[in-house]
Amino acid sequence: MARLLTPRFALLTAADLGYFTAMGIAVQTLPLYVTGPLHSSKAAAGLAFGAFAISALLLRPFAGRLSDRIGRRPLLLGGTALAAVSLALLSLATDLPTIIALRLLAGVAEAAFFVAAFAALADVAPPDRLGEALSLNSLSLYLGLALGPPLGEVLAQRSYPTAWLTAAALCLAGTTAFLFVGETGTPSRGAKPKLIHRAAVPPSIGLCTALVASGGFMAFAALRAQEEGFENTSLPLFLYGATVVVSRAVFAKVPDRVPPLKLGAIALAVIAVGLVLTATPHTLLVGSIVLGIGITFSTPAFFAAVFAAAEPHERGAASGTASAFIDIGLGGGPIMLGLIANTSIPAALATGGAVAAAGCLWTLWLRRAH
């Protein structure tokens, strides 16, 4: 069996950890800052949180094409550096329009970083261990989401600028790690790379529904914890992230042993149950754990389905297409559910569960069609 845990794989994962811990800090602090010191509404908190998805959604396909043409490394370095700038400037923002503008800038960084990172991972992973590679590498994402919120809560008690400057420093640490990764792909100098990878679209729709659900949870978990009377409002996010980290480490080999669309459908069903539990009184923590179990398998399953239909020189386009649906889910989910949360946060979370259930039905149909 080909070796997976190489120095390149380790450096990619470490750099991802720095970036996603920074994002975890923003997940915790941004909604509380908007509804607290800025005295804006919960809908405004959802808009501020999800605004990055507008620019990221528009640019992801172009980032995918660019990573196939010039390589992954320039986008990895540029994306993390730009994310650091957008986070550092949040420390100077004192009004909602400025925050939204900086979140749009963060979307540019997200497009470059995320597309190139997934394409680079597919480059360095053995083909028969891609699911395992996705599971292990994504530990950085969810470890970041587990550690980032409590770290952000502690730092924000000193000041919100302290939290955002720390997040910026973590992104710069990721930039430094990418300097040592080198180029993982083979830049295309011939035919023009694809902008949209059509075969990636159907499984990406299923992935999108999972991320509408999880995006809504991440945007409103701290506010839901406040409603439930939690003194530690970051606890649901910590349990969610910790569950994914532990489960992906323990079950890393499962995505290579279960057909991806079957695994994706099961994951979406579990996500739907988890969101309903978070909306139910006194079961927020249980729902956070159940949601984490569903998310454990959703991303590896759907990305395995996406990359299974892509040639090596198309991985940037496939990653760009799939990650555009991530923006729709993670960005559009909080914005859409924020309109409902303005009246009732439990209703918003339950709606996220209904979206995941619809995604489960779509994925089952897609598997049957295939």
Side-chain angles (χ1 to χ4, degrees):
M1 182 178 291
R3 184 184 176 194
L4 172 60
L5 301 179
T6 61
R8 268 185 162 180
F9 180 86
L11 279 170
L12 275 171
T13 302
D16 290 351
L17 177 60
Y19 178 88
F20 289 118
T21 302
M23 297 305 107
I25 292 173
V27 164
Q28 170 67 21
T29 56
L30 192 63
L32 296 176
Y33 181 68
V34 171
T35 58
L38 292 190
H39 306 293
S40 294
S41 66
K42 294 169 185 175
L47 176 61
F49 184 88
F52 79 97
I54 299 172
S55 51
L57 175 61
L58 293 174
L59 294 176
R60 290 229 202 230
F62 296 97
R65 171 184 281 179
L66 192 61
S67 75
D68 285 335
R69 179 174 288 274
I70 67 172
R72 326 299 187 201
R73 191 168 184 261
L75 277 74
L76 292 172
L77 295 174
T80 48
L82 188 58
V85 171
S86 68
L87 286 165
L89 290 177
L90 276 176
S91 64
L92 304 176
T94 57
D95 59 80
L96 185 62
T98 301
I99 288 176
I100 292 173
L102 290 173
R103 291 294 287 167
L104 290 170
L105 182 63
V108 178
E110 173 82 2
F113 163 79
F114 204 88
V115 168
F118 266 103
L121 178 64
D123 291 336
V124 303
D128 60 342
R129 301 183 71 180
L130 179 58
E132 183 181 1
L134 288 164
S135 292
L136 293 177
N137 175 265
S138 65
L139 291 178
S140 61
L141 191 160
Y142 289 98
L143 189 57
L145 291 179
L147 297 178
L151 177 59
E153 187 172 24
V154 170
L155 293 169
Q157 288 173 359
R158 298 183 62 182
S159 72
Y160 284 103
T162 299
W164 290 320
L165 289 173
T166 302
L170 288 168
C171 285
L172 288 178
T175 306
T176 303
F178 283 134
L179 286 172
F180 296 96
V181 171
E183 182 55 64
T184 63
T186 304
S188 173
R189 304 296 182 185
K192 194 174 183 179
K194 293 180 179 179
L195 183 63
I196 301 296
H197 195 277
R198 293 185 179 181
V201 172
S204 297
I205 293 173
L207 176 63
C208 179
T209 62
L211 295 169
V212 167
S214 63
F217 171 79
M218 287 189 289
F220 300 109
L223 297 176
R224 175 65 173 152
Q226 276 186 340
E227 286 186 348
E228 290 281 284
F230 283 75
E231 183 176 345
N232 183 355
T233 58
S234 66
L235 183 57
L237 285 167
F238 173 78
L239 286 176
Y240 165 73
T243 299
V244 178
V245 167
V246 173
S247 299
R248 286 205 174 156
V250 173
F251 302 110
K253 296 182 183 295
V254 170
D256 290 320
R257 296 175 178 174
V258 180
L261 293 177
K262 178 180 180 180
L263 185 61
I266 294 170
L268 283 166
V270 175
I271 289 168
V273 172
L275 261 294
V276 170
L277 288 172
T278 64
T280 304
H282 313 303
T283 57
L284 173 59
L285 298 185
V286 175
S288 301
I289 294 171
V290 173
L291 174 63
I293 293 171
I295 292 294
T296 293
F297 301 106
S298 61
T299 304
F302 286 113
F303 263 96
V306 166
F307 284 127
E311 298 295 330
H313 64 278
E314 298 174 336
R315 286 171 180 158
S319 179
T321 301
S323 57
F325 283 88
I326 292 178
D327 290 325
I328 296 172
L330 284 181
I335 293 173
M336 177 187 73
L337 298 180
L339 298 175
I340 302 173
N342 223 26
T343 302
S344 168
I345 290 178
L349 294 171
T351 300
V355 171
C360 176
L361 295 176
W362 163 259
T363 305
L364 288 172
W365 176 85
L366 186 62
R367 179 171 181 261
R368 194 169 186 177
H370 277 211

